[in-house]
Amino acid sequence: MTGPPPARPAAQDDADVITRSLTEPELFAGLYDRHAPDIHRYVARRLGEGAADDITAETFLIAFRTRERYDTAHRLARPWLYGIAANLIGKHRRTEVRALKALARTGHDSVAASWSDRADDRIAVQAPLAGALAALSPGDRHVLLLVAWADLGYQEVAEALRIPLGTVRSRLNRARRKVREALSADPAFSSALDAPPAPAGQELNP
């Protein structure tokens, strides 16, 4: 696989597409077109391009198989899809931590090298940050990176990880504090770390 195709706009919202796909399964492809590029990019930043292909495909396969249980009160499926992807990423946490530690130690890692593909990934390839991320608990790392790299708001993170909003805030505050301490309040990262999450569908530029 070479990665997902460019996203295309769709007329219906996600909940409508999911509901209609129960009787017209081919419509689910519209959900893939809309969200797969973002999911793929997020996974690639955490695990590398090779894993991103497989996890993106598995995310949407699981979403398709479980779509009848989707809560259509949530009109946008981003949190649901990121939650599935986060669960799959969690199964590779040893690989992620190993890559982060290698990057922190040597300044280069074959998995983490894919993080530098885009100019706005410059923060991700800083060795001190990699070490700080590796030291976080899996739960804290999920929350921090869903906010900082996936541009999810606090409520969306709560929905994605199925945790209370207060837990999102406490984990994020703890992760920010630990990363800031590890980086000695590096201003290049602190400004992005403290920025409020963008509204759903809008992208932050770290």
Side-chain angles (χ1 to χ4, degrees):
M1 295 180 65
T2 58
R8 296 198 307 265
Q12 297 86 20
D13 65 18
D14 293 340
D16 184 46
V17 170
I18 292 169
T19 299
R20 293 183 59 196
S21 75
L22 295 175
T23 54
E24 301 175 81
E26 67 278 5
L27 295 181
F28 197 83
L31 201 72
Y32 179 91
D33 288 349
R34 191 183 307 182
H35 296 293
D38 289 338
I39 296 292
H40 186 275
R41 183 162 47 250
Y42 176 71
V43 179
R45 294 182 78 171
R46 294 191 61 171
L47 297 177
E49 287 288 341
D53 289 345
D54 293 339
I55 289 180
T56 301
E58 191 172 356
T59 293
F60 283 88
L61 179 60
I62 292 172
F64 180 79
R65 289 175 173 173
T66 61
R67 69 195 190 282
E68 72 279 358
R69 299 201 299 269
Y70 181 74
D71 182 359
T72 55
H74 302 293
R75 309 308 296 178
L76 186 65
R78 287 175 76 242
W80 178 54
L81 295 170
Y82 274 107
I84 296 172
N87 285 335
L88 295 173
I89 289 171
K91 296 178 181 179
H92 296 264
R93 62 183 178 275
R94 291 182 180 176
T95 298
E96 181 180 34
V97 170
R98 187 163 55 245
L100 289 167
K101 288 182 176 178
L103 180 58
R105 183 176 63 253
T106 68
H108 176 77
D109 180 77
S110 57
V111 172
S114 67
W115 295 339
S116 61
D117 288 345
R118 299 191 309 150
D120 63 2
D121 285 349
R122 62 190 180 278
I123 290 175
V125 297
Q126 294 177 0
L129 174 58
L133 292 176
L136 295 177
S137 70
D140 288 358
R141 189 163 54 248
H142 273 322
V143 169
L144 178 66
L145 296 183
L146 283 171
V147 171
W149 287 358
D151 301 337
L152 296 189
Y154 298 168
Q155 184 60 48
E156 289 179 313
V157 173
E159 294 172 12
L161 300 181
R162 298 183 180 181
I163 58 177
L165 183 59
T167 302
V168 171
R169 295 183 184 279
S170 63
R171 286 184 182 180
L172 185 59
N173 288 336
R174 182 169 56 242
R176 283 172 165 168
R177 184 181 67 253
K178 290 181 178 179
V179 169
R180 190 179 294 107
E181 290 171 354
L183 296 180
S184 300
D186 183 338
F189 185 64
S190 294
S191 60
L193 195 63
D194 292 326
Q202 295 183 14
E203 188 174 17
L204 283 174
N205 293 314

